[in-house]
Amino acid sequence: MKIMELYVKNLREFKKGERGYSTIGIIIQSCLGSIAAMYILIQGAGILQMVQLFLVTMCCMGFNASVLSQRPAKVTFNLFILSIVVSTVVLILNLM
């Protein structure tokens, strides 16, 4: 139950300063996504790496598009979380 409370609290905060948080979010997830992409490509250019690269790229682009098209705050926040989680998981997998 604590995770949902944390999610709701952060979503409320995101809604208050959506423009500023979206800008910071684009910088953060773009940097993390590009680091994940770099480590994916260091592993080679096989089909598994291309699938991982596709996932990271689509998640990052989805969040960026959400911000640019001014989607509702909840959609943008959820895409930000998805982008961070996918990039982090892929990065960890490629660091092992």
Side-chain angles (χ1 to χ4, degrees):
M1 199 58 176
K2 293 281 186 187
I3 293 175
M4 281 308 291
E5 291 172 12
L6 182 64
Y7 170 79
V8 170
K9 178 183 170 197
N10 285 323
L11 178 58
R12 255 188 257 127
E13 183 65 29
F14 183 82
K15 283 180 180 179
K16 283 183 196 174
E18 186 174 356
R19 183 173 288 176
Y21 286 125
S22 293
T23 305
I24 293 169
I26 286 175
I27 295 168
I28 291 170
Q29 64 87 25
S30 293
C31 289
L32 184 60
S34 63
I35 292 168
M38 178 184 68
Y39 277 98
I40 291 167
L41 293 173
I42 285 173
Q43 300 296 323
I47 189 73
L48 180 62
Q49 286 80 22
M50 292 300 113
V51 169
Q52 290 176 4
L53 188 61
F54 174 78
L55 287 173
V56 169
T57 304
M58 286 299 105
C59 288
C60 290
M61 286 177 58
F63 172 70
N64 290 344
S66 174
V67 171
L68 290 173
S69 63
Q70 298 179 347
R71 304 301 333 153
K74 187 173 183 178
V75 172
T76 303
F77 186 68
N78 288 340
L79 286 171
F80 174 70
I81 292 172
L82 177 68
S83 173
I84 294 297
V85 168
V86 168
S87 294
T88 303
V89 167
V90 169
L91 180 60
I92 290 170
L93 289 173
N94 283 285
L95 284 173
M96 295 177 136

